[in-house]
């Protein structure tokens, strides 16, 4: 069965370190998204991609970067982790078209100490 | 920019009763889609129901239905015959036809009382 997986599930890192969260999907979806979930804020869009070599900034992109070198993967990099980036991160993917269902990974809980 | 607002941080319902979760949105686009997602304690995001803006008929999926008021930009979710398994965080989401971005509200935490 097709799926979308995130790794790691949990991570603790120190302030100032670079951290990369992995997202891999086997749906062959063009669209991929990264969100962070915080209490009282819901899911906020960090970055998104419509296809290989395409990346776009979301509403909370400062301090994060992504790259899309193939269809399956959209890794999220925190260039210099800050305590404000402690959160639960979700990756999602969908086929082309705004009416298509987005499928989500199981989330990564990141703690920056 | 498009926004989604859920004004009820928490709701509670008795088992077997009906509850309505509110959602409003703001957009200048004419082509868009609306969704309700459920997030149980497992953190998994589950699509509950979707609505195409060009369709006047309200979407229904078993015990879940929506009240879509396009002019008022309102998209509420009604859960009938509530069950204990319905307890979860519910997110309203918007997706524009032009941008394809999926934008979420802040969520409503639903408790179901036995």
């Amino acid at each position: 069965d097709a799926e979308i997986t995130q790794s790691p599930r949990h991570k603790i890192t120190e302030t100032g370190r670079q951290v990369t969260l992995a997202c891999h999907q086997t749906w062959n979806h063009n669209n991929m998204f990264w969100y962070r979930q915080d209490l009282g804020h819901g899911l906020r869009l960090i970055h998104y991609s419509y296809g290989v070599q395409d990346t776009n900034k979301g509403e909370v992109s400062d301090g994060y970067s992504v790259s899309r070198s193939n269809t399956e993967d959209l890794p999220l990099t925190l260039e210099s982790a800050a305590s404000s980036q402690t959160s639960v991160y979700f990756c999602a993917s969908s086929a082309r078209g705004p009416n298509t269902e987005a499928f989500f990974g199981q989330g990564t809980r990141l703690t920056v100490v | 920019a498009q926004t989604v607002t859920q004004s009820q941080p928490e709701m509670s319902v008795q088992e077997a009763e009906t509850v309505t979760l509110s959602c409003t949105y703001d957009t200048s686009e004419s082509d868009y889609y609306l969704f309700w997602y459920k997030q149980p304690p497992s953190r998994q995001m589950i699509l509950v129901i979707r609505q195409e803006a060009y369709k006047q008929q309200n979407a229904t999926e078993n015990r879940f239905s929506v009240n879509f008021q396009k002019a008022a930009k309102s998209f509420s979710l009604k859960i009938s015959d509530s069950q204990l398994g319905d307890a979860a965080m519910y997110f309203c989401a918007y997706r524009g036809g032009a941008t394809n971005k999926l934008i979420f509200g802040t969520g409503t935490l639903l408790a179901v009382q036995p």
Side-chain angles (χ1 to χ4, degrees):
Chain A
D1 288 346
E3 60 181 1
I4 179 167
T5 55
Q6 293 181 232
S7 61
R9 294 293 307 275
H10 299 88
K11 185 169 182 65
I12 301 174
T13 191
E14 294 179 344
T15 300
R17 290 194 179 268
Q18 184 180 78
V19 177
T20 297
L21 308 183
C23 176
H24 178 80
Q25 53 99 359
T26 58
W27 292 97
N28 199 33
H29 285 160
N30 292 99
N31 299 334
M32 295 186 74
F33 308 86
W34 272 105
Y35 295 88
R36 59 177 290 175
Q37 182 177 7
D38 305 287
L39 195 63
H41 292 279
L43 280 81
R44 292 181 291 176
L45 185 61
I46 305 172
H47 282 285
Y48 57 103
S49 168
Y50 293 147
V52 176
Q53 302 301 332
D54 175 75
T55 60
N56 305 278
K57 293 182 179 181
E59 58 180 310
V60 290
S61 61
D62 287 348
Y64 303 94
S65 63
V66 294
S67 62
R68 187 92 179 269
S69 59
N70 58 51
T71 300
E72 296 79 19
D73 299 287
L74 187 70
L76 177 70
T77 297
L78 286 68
E79 291 133 13
S80 178
S83 58
S84 60
Q85 295 177 307
T86 292
S87 186
V88 178
Y89 292 85
F90 284 95
C91 179
S93 72
S94 75
R96 288 191 195 277
N99 63 330
T100 57
E101 180 177 355
F103 295 89
F104 286 77
Q106 63 273 61
T108 295
R109 181 177 294 279
L110 176 68
T111 302
V112 183
V113 298
Chain B
Q2 298 81 21
T3 59
V4 178
T5 302
Q6 293 179 251
S7 59
Q8 305 157 314
E10 297 181 10
M11 293 280 286
S12 182
V13 63
Q14 291 291 128
E15 199 175 2
E17 296 295 309
T18 296
V19 64
T20 298
L21 309 183
S22 301
C23 174
T24 59
Y25 61 94
D26 190 27
T27 183
S28 57
E29 297 179 287
S30 58
D31 179 28
Y32 55 88
Y33 298 79
L34 299 163
F35 306 82
W36 278 98
Y37 279 85
K38 171 184 177 181
Q39 186 184 45
S42 67
R43 280 199 328 226
Q44 184 183 4
M45 292 288 286
I46 303 165
L47 178 64
V48 174
I49 199 166
R50 81 185 85 184
Q51 173 79 40
E52 293 88 346
Y54 63 86
K55 287 189 177 179
Q56 292 186 336
Q57 186 173 5
N58 290 324
T60 299
E61 290 285 346
N62 301 313
R63 298 182 295 106
F64 298 87
S65 61
V66 300
N67 183 5
F68 175 48
Q69 302 290 327
K70 190 172 183 178
K73 295 181 179 174
S74 170
F75 181 61
S76 59
L77 174 70
K78 185 172 82 171
I79 306 174
S80 303
D81 185 26
S82 297
Q83 301 176 359
L84 295 177
D86 295 333
M89 182 73 85
Y90 286 83
F91 291 101
C92 178
Y94 167 99
R95 197 165 188 187
T99 63
N100 229 334
K101 291 189 298 183
L102 189 59
I103 299 168
F104 288 86
T106 52
T108 296
L109 183 62
L110 178 67
V112 181
Q113 307 299 330

